[in-house]
Amino acid sequence: MPWTGEQEALAQAAAVGRHTAAWIRDLPLPPSETWIVGPLADAVEDAMATLDPGDEPWTGGPGRGGLSETTEETLAGLIYAMPEISAWLTPEQQIALLGIVHCVNGIPKLLANDPGTIIEGGGLAALCTVLEVTCRTAPTPTPRA
């Protein structure tokens, strides 16, 4: 049973995921930091594009909301890269990146565990706004050479 406004909310989330991933891909990182602008940005885009309020595990545990284990592991890997990229990003960009990845990692789980509130109550739209504002207000990335 689809929720009222589900298609629109999921389409908005996918669009915000593409925009957010593009912001990550534009971060001013050296060519050696391909994981951030490649697999991490791809994981952000994938997580937001594959949201599924009906994705529940067969064993009765908490739902995943469409978030694959591989994507979740990639998102969780950011913390390990932070010491290396801190030399290249401003503190504001680092905070924005951490916040984006944390939010994107949590949205599918929230969606799976309380789809009515997050879709019909506007929670997904509110979190998408947080992501959009983060990309707009974090210092504009300078193009990589």
Side-chain angles (χ1 to χ4, degrees):
M1 162 181 96
W3 298 93
T4 302
E6 180 177 335
Q7 288 183 339
E8 296 83 3
L10 296 178
Q12 177 194 17
V16 168
R18 287 188 299 276
H19 176 257
T20 304
W23 182 87
I24 293 169
R25 289 182 185 109
D26 285 341
L27 287 171
L29 293 168
S32 62
E33 297 299 332
T34 58
W35 183 81
I36 299 290
V37 298
L40 182 65
D42 293 345
V44 165
E45 188 168 357
D46 179 68
M48 296 298 286
T50 60
L51 292 175
D52 180 1
D55 181 18
E56 298 180 29
W58 291 99
T59 57
R64 298 192 58 81
L67 185 65
S68 72
E69 283 187 47
T70 302
T71 299
E72 184 176 19
E73 288 172 5
T74 301
L75 294 170
L78 175 62
I79 198 68
Y80 301 104
M82 290 306 294
E84 295 164 15
I85 66 171
S86 64
W88 300 98
L89 300 179
T90 67
E92 293 85 2
Q93 289 168 329
Q94 293 173 58
I95 291 168
L97 185 58
L98 284 166
I100 285 167
V101 170
H102 181 72
C103 190
V104 167
N105 192 34
I107 286 172
K109 297 168 192 170
L110 180 60
L111 178 67
N113 293 304
D114 194 2
T117 299
I118 193 147
I119 293 172
E120 293 182 342
L124 181 56
L127 291 168
C128 285
T129 299
V130 168
L131 292 170
E132 289 176 327
V133 169
T134 300
C135 291
R136 270 198 322 264
T137 59
T140 305
T142 54
R144 290 179 284 148

